[in-house]
Amino acid sequence: MAGDGTNDFGALLRRFRLTAGLSQQALAERAGLSVDAVAALERGRRRNPRAFTVRVLADTLGLGERHREELVHAASGSVPVARTDQIRPPAPRGPLVGREADVVVVTELLRSGDARLVTLSGPGGVGKTQLALTVAGRLGERYTDGVAFAPLAFLSDAAALPEAVANAFGVRQVGGQSVEESIAGELGERRPLLVLDNCEHMVAACARLVDRLLGVLPGLSVLATSRERLRLPGEVVHSVAPLPVPAVDGTADGLLSAPAVELFVRRVRALNPTLELSPDNMAAIARVCRELDGLPLALELAAARANVLTVRQIADDLDALVNVLTMRTSESRQRTLRATMRWSYDLLTPGERRALRRLSVFAGTWSLEAAEAVCTPGEGEAAALALVSSLVDKSLVRPSAFGERNRYFLLSTIRMYAYELLHESGDLPEAAAQHAAYMAGLAERAETGLQGPEQAGWLSRMDAEMSNVRVALRRSELVDPRVRLRLAGALWRYCYLRGRYREGRGWLADVLTATVPDCQPAERAEALLGAGVLAFLECDYASAGENLESALALFRRIADHRGVADALQRLGSIARERGEYAKADRLHRESLAIAARDGDRAHVHESLNYLGFLAWLTGDLEGANRLCGEALRVFRDHGASEGTAWALISLGAAGLYAGTLDTAEELLRESLSLSYDLGFREGVAWALDLLGVLARRRGRQQEAWELLAESLDGHYRLGDRWRAASVCEELAGVAVDRDPQLAARLLGVADELRTVTGARRPPVEQADHDAGVAACRRAIGDAYEDAVAMGRLTPVGRIVEKVREAHPVVV
């Protein structure tokens, strides 16, 4: 599941087990394994399971061909599989040359526990990132809770650093906490490795954050790359030197064995496989390697010209660089790299130079469509493809596989150099504006696409664009405020589906408080609607209501009927969670009437689904079946995955509370599988919640505990305190027979959550709650109130971790 802190195989195994309706114990028994073996695989304590074990698990789980293939690939680590919110390090680009000794030293430092902070330092272009990625790849078994990767080269604002690290861990900020507190609360005693790449441009901020995290997370280790050390107590600095170059008077064998020569020859032969090593060109190769100080990036840039220049010509051209070099120091090596980049840049055509400069406005990867918008607007993708392909051939741009089409990126050193040139050219404001305008247009297309049958594809595409989205929104001094408003306003649905509530709220708060000349009411209304929805999802009902009422007023002023219906729908949801059920029903029906009058069939069935949701929460199970059944048929016909998932949840809940458990389980498992496939985190958490209640009613207490624990974790990470309270109460009902003290504490946590948010317990859940309270009182008597009071004082994050670790019903 997203952000669970385990390796991919463990997360995938747990997902398939939960979808199949099996507890760890049941899966172990059916597969002929021990419960501890299954638990170890899911938590990442045991990695690289044998092929036979994987096959048995896949057979036991009844996996289809696609899911079986995912599990097999995850076990071998051969390809990335199911999306997780934790950002894993990318694979190194081929084998490292001349770095084995560095890999061994750094790997042993971290594996042995002798150092919790290791910094790889050295000049730009020396290969620190590739060394870090190789080390991280070898440490998978040592760090049982995964390796997270935080690339910082694209960050321009140190204030964004904590959030970038939280994103690397798959941690979402919890309301009322700083980002650092949320990271600490989520990771607890876990033992992850954080790879913090390219710290040099915000080294002081990196040092402060790392110092805080190492202080509160005893299991955390950090591998940083930076041109300068972080200067923290306990930091071990490993200097990464350029590759050894051949001696001036060395033998032919010695020349061939020099790592710098090996790297250069590898790169040249990739472009010119027929290269013959003669005394003449070997001498030229040696000159190149010596002139470029053995810097890997400089060598790659020089070798990239081997398709149009001989190695002798490359060497002769590089002789011109001698005039900019003095002593062979780190400062000189940096000048060497800059001179090499300048040489590569000067050899480009004017169009290629302009394209390289403009591509530096992108953060992370970009598509050809995006490159066309920024580099060749109006000329079409073919023109962009020609330029990008040419820059790829010269090793200035790198391709990155993304589905059936490539995306592209610049190495951080090249990007920073190109960005300097862009700034010097005076072209930065226009390039940044075109970048932001493209991202705003893409986000608006995505907003529409996320409501139809192409929802999964658009989610995946926007996942890949988030670095560009963030940088466009941060460039407030370069980007038209109206474009930023459009961009942030179009992103709220993506943030909802991906569970990025806090991040989306931050963007919207920023643009809504800014002065936006010539702002159109429709653009502001959409942003206010998004801000209201995301605040509601975090149970901040006051802020949600204020934003939604403002949006409603604007939508009415401009006669945007769909906007009016949307705002009414969301205001009805606030009323529902506050226990104002008559008001919620009225608002949902008013929204339905507008959609019906305008012939908006999609919104009509969305309204029916909301009314069905309200119906089962208030105990009208027949009404829920009728309303959500009709909505489901339309959602299925139109390929609306999110709507389908919600309708299945409501129909499953109605069946659950009506006692038709077989039907309910079938519906809820379908919703769980669909939500997992979509990456719809709220849907996953809800389906797990109701499946846990169902398992408890069937007497499958262990399964109920596991499902509810997973659901609580999901709702907590999303910031949904309304549902977290209900799940705590159900967990209390499961725990009461084995650990009544824990049950009472869970009831106290639920009480506190409802007090803080003003949310109310749905009537359909009242009987279970009353029975749980009565059982606790019988079990611990006078100690009950004290235990509940202790629960009220317990941070939610701590009780979530306690629930994940505790197994009070295991026999």
Side-chain angles (χ1 to χ4, degrees):
M1 170 148 176
D4 62 3
T6 66
N7 68 316
D8 275 352
F9 179 81
L12 205 57
L13 177 60
R14 185 167 66 255
R15 166 188 163 177
F16 292 150
R17 175 179 61 78
L18 292 173
T19 304
L22 298 175
S23 66
Q24 287 183 347
Q25 184 173 358
L27 176 59
E29 289 173 353
R30 296 186 188 187
L33 302 172
S34 69
V35 176
D36 184 64
V38 173
L41 287 169
E42 289 191 0
R43 295 289 289 173
R45 295 195 303 271
R46 178 184 167 193
R47 294 172 181 267
N48 306 120
R50 292 180 302 153
F52 174 76
T53 302
V54 177
R55 188 166 64 251
V56 168
L57 288 169
D59 289 343
T60 304
L61 292 165
L63 299 183
E65 183 177 349
R66 179 170 66 88
H67 287 159
R68 178 184 291 268
E69 185 177 353
E70 287 181 359
L71 196 67
V72 169
H73 281 313
S76 65
S78 58
V79 295
V81 292
R83 177 188 176 276
T84 66
D85 281 348
Q86 188 179 79
I87 301 174
R88 302 177 69 214
R93 292 185 305 105
L96 285 182
V97 174
R99 295 292 188 210
E100 186 57 33
D102 296 284
V103 172
V104 169
V105 169
V106 178
T107 300
E108 187 54 32
L109 277 170
L110 291 164
R111 178 176 284 139
S112 65
D114 291 343
R116 293 182 60 207
L117 169 61
V118 177
T119 300
L120 305 181
S121 69
V126 80
K128 301 182 294 294
T129 297
Q130 290 302 303
L131 175 57
L133 295 178
T134 301
V135 169
R138 294 194 184 182
L139 285 168
E141 292 185 5
R142 164 69 172 80
Y143 291 95
T144 56
D145 287 306
V147 180
F149 181 62
L152 307 182
F154 307 125
L155 290 188
S156 57
D157 181 4
L161 174 64
E163 189 169 20
V165 173
N167 288 337
F169 282 121
V171 171
R172 305 294 172 222
Q173 186 176 5
V174 177
Q177 294 183 349
S178 67
V179 178
E180 294 93 328
E181 289 171 334
S182 295
I183 294 172
E186 171 61 31
L187 297 184
E189 300 298 318
R190 296 179 185 173
R191 299 175 58 82
L193 172 67
L194 171 64
V195 179
L196 208 56
D197 191 35
N198 291 115
C199 300
E200 53 273 350
H201 62 302
M202 49 181 63
V203 67
C206 286
R208 287 193 296 272
L209 179 61
V210 169
D211 190 38
R212 289 196 294 269
L213 291 178
L214 290 174
V216 297
L217 295 168
L220 174 66
S221 297
V222 177
L223 176 59
T225 73
S226 178
R227 294 180 194 175
E228 60 178 295
R229 61 184 297 175
L230 302 189
R231 302 186 185 282
L232 289 175
E235 178 184 22
V236 175
V237 178
H238 182 83
S239 295
V240 184
L243 296 175
V245 301
V248 175
D249 56 354
T251 65
D253 288 343
L255 190 152
L256 286 171
S257 65
V261 171
E262 181 184 351
L263 176 64
F264 184 75
V265 171
R266 277 175 180 252
R267 297 296 185 257
V268 169
R269 281 184 166 158
L271 295 171
N272 183 7
T274 62
L275 174 70
E276 294 289 341
L277 295 179
S278 64
D280 183 58
N281 62 26
M282 285 300 293
I285 290 171
R287 283 168 52 203
V288 169
C289 293
R290 286 194 293 266
E291 291 296 350
L292 298 184
D293 281 324
L295 281 169
L297 179 55
L299 291 168
E300 291 199 30
L301 291 174
R305 285 291 168 177
N307 61 338
V308 292
L309 301 175
T310 67
V311 290
R312 176 68 179 270
Q313 288 174 312
I314 292 172
D316 289 343
D317 279 356
L318 291 176
D319 280 341
L321 297 176
V322 173
N323 293 329
V324 303
L325 305 178
T326 53
M327 296 177 58
R328 290 301 193 243
T329 62
S330 292
E331 183 181 354
S332 174
R333 285 171 181 143
Q334 191 58 35
R335 289 200 299 271
T336 301
L337 178 59
R338 290 182 66 83
T340 309
M341 289 191 293
R342 185 74 204 195
W343 173 73
S344 297
Y345 177 78
D346 287 343
L347 290 174
L348 299 175
T349 66
E352 289 170 341
R353 293 176 198 168
R354 180 176 182 273
L356 181 66
R357 294 193 305 265
R358 283 180 158 250
L359 289 172
S360 69
V361 300
F362 288 100
T365 63
W366 68 83
S367 65
L368 277 178
E369 179 186 84
E372 187 271 330
V374 173
C375 299
T376 59
E379 298 179 37
E381 277 194 24
L385 176 60
L387 285 169
V388 170
S389 297
S390 180
L391 294 172
V392 169
D393 290 341
K394 296 170 177 66
S395 290
L396 292 165
V397 168
R398 301 289 170 91
S400 174
F402 179 76
E404 297 180 356
R405 305 192 71 182
N406 270 347
R407 291 176 68 84
Y408 302 88
F409 68 98
L410 294 173
L411 292 179
S412 61
T413 304
I414 294 174
R415 178 181 178 272
M416 288 187 282
Y417 179 69
Y419 197 78
E420 288 179 21
L421 295 176
L422 181 65
H423 188 274
E424 291 169 5
S425 73
D427 202 19
L428 174 58
E430 183 180 58
Q434 288 173 331
H435 172 265
Y438 171 77
M439 295 312 304
L442 180 67
E444 287 167 342
R445 284 154 53 200
E447 184 179 26
T448 300
L450 288 172
Q451 300 175 67
E454 298 179 353
Q455 188 175 68
W458 275 106
L459 282 170
S460 179
R461 183 167 182 181
M462 292 308 295
D463 288 342
E465 295 289 2
M466 291 318 292
S467 292
N468 284 307
V469 164
R470 293 183 181 106
V471 78
L473 287 167
R474 283 199 299 270
R475 286 182 177 138
S476 56
E477 74 284 359
L478 294 172
V479 176
D480 184 333
R482 183 175 169 185
V483 172
R484 293 177 69 240
L485 180 68
R486 284 175 49 214
L487 175 55
L491 287 166
W492 71 263
R493 194 175 299 274
Y494 167 82
C495 292
Y496 153 61
L497 290 168
R498 279 291 184 245
R500 299 178 181 271
Y501 307 158
R502 179 53 55 101
E503 187 173 22
R505 287 186 71 184
W507 296 334
L508 286 161
D510 183 41
V511 298
L512 284 169
T513 55
T515 301
V516 183
D518 303 318
C519 173
Q520 299 299 309
E523 295 165 353
R524 185 168 182 84
E526 185 66 22
L528 286 165
L529 175 69
V533 171
L534 296 178
F536 157 73
L537 290 166
E538 289 197 312
C539 303
D540 182 356
Y541 302 129
S543 177
E546 181 180 344
N547 282 309
L548 290 171
E549 290 287 1
S550 297
L552 178 61
L554 277 176
F555 283 132
R556 280 180 166 153
R557 195 177 94 197
I558 61 177
D560 183 339
H561 297 166
R562 178 61 189 265
V564 170
D566 273 340
L568 290 170
Q569 200 86 279
R570 309 299 175 170
L571 286 166
S573 294
I574 295 175
R576 179 190 67 234
E577 293 191 9
R578 282 177 159 170
E580 300 167 347
Y581 301 115
K583 179 180 179 181
D585 183 78
R586 175 176 57 79
L587 289 166
H588 288 324
R589 291 188 183 281
E590 188 176 349
S591 178
L592 172 63
I594 293 171
R597 184 188 64 212
D598 290 349
D600 187 344
R601 191 161 179 252
H603 193 85
V604 164
H605 289 88
E606 183 180 296
S607 295
L608 293 176
N609 214 33
Y610 272 97
L611 286 164
F613 185 26
L614 177 64
W616 75 259
L617 287 171
T618 54
D620 179 7
L621 306 182
E622 183 180 341
N625 277 319
R626 175 173 45 80
L627 292 162
C628 294
E630 183 178 346
L632 178 62
R633 286 189 292 276
V634 175
F635 290 147
R636 286 197 196 277
D637 288 344
H638 287 77
S641 299
E642 176 219 347
T644 300
W646 272 125
L648 289 167
I649 284 170
S650 289
L651 289 168
L656 163 65
Y657 286 104
T660 56
L661 301 188
D662 288 344
T663 300
E665 185 164 6
E666 181 181 342
L667 292 164
L668 292 170
R669 294 212 181 282
E670 183 183 352
S671 180
L672 179 62
S673 180
L674 179 60
S675 297
Y676 267 131
D677 286 343
L678 187 63
F680 179 30
R681 297 172 64 204
E682 188 180 22
V684 168
W686 264 97
L688 290 169
D689 172 3
L690 292 166
L691 283 167
V693 178
L694 189 149
R696 182 183 169 213
R697 292 191 172 213
R698 283 190 150 155
R700 304 194 305 239
Q701 299 294 81
Q702 175 59 34
E703 182 187 341
W705 183 267
E706 291 179 14
L707 289 163
L708 290 167
E710 192 79 8
S711 175
L712 178 61
D713 183 71
H715 284 301
Y716 167 71
R717 294 187 192 197
L718 289 169
D720 186 349
R721 292 170 287 176
W722 175 60
R723 285 316 298 169
S726 288
V727 179
C728 282
E729 290 172 347
E730 288 294 342
L731 280 163
V734 179
V736 67
D737 290 337
R738 298 294 181 110
D739 191 344
Q741 285 284 341
L742 174 59
R745 284 180 62 190
L746 284 162
L747 291 169
V749 170
D751 284 351
E752 183 65 15
L753 286 171
R754 296 194 193 285
T755 299
V756 169
T757 61
R760 294 292 178 264
R761 180 182 307 106
V764 77
E765 296 171 359
Q766 190 65 45
D768 280 356
H769 169 264
D770 293 346
V773 170
C776 272
R777 288 187 181 278
R778 287 194 300 272
I780 57 178
D782 294 341
Y784 172 78
E785 296 296 344
D786 288 341
V788 169
M790 183 181 298
R792 290 195 183 101
L793 297 174
T794 302
V796 181
R798 190 174 301 167
I799 204 71
V800 170
E801 192 64 28
K802 173 75 172 173
V803 165
R804 286 188 69 91
E805 293 174 353
H807 295 279
V809 295
V810 171
V811 293

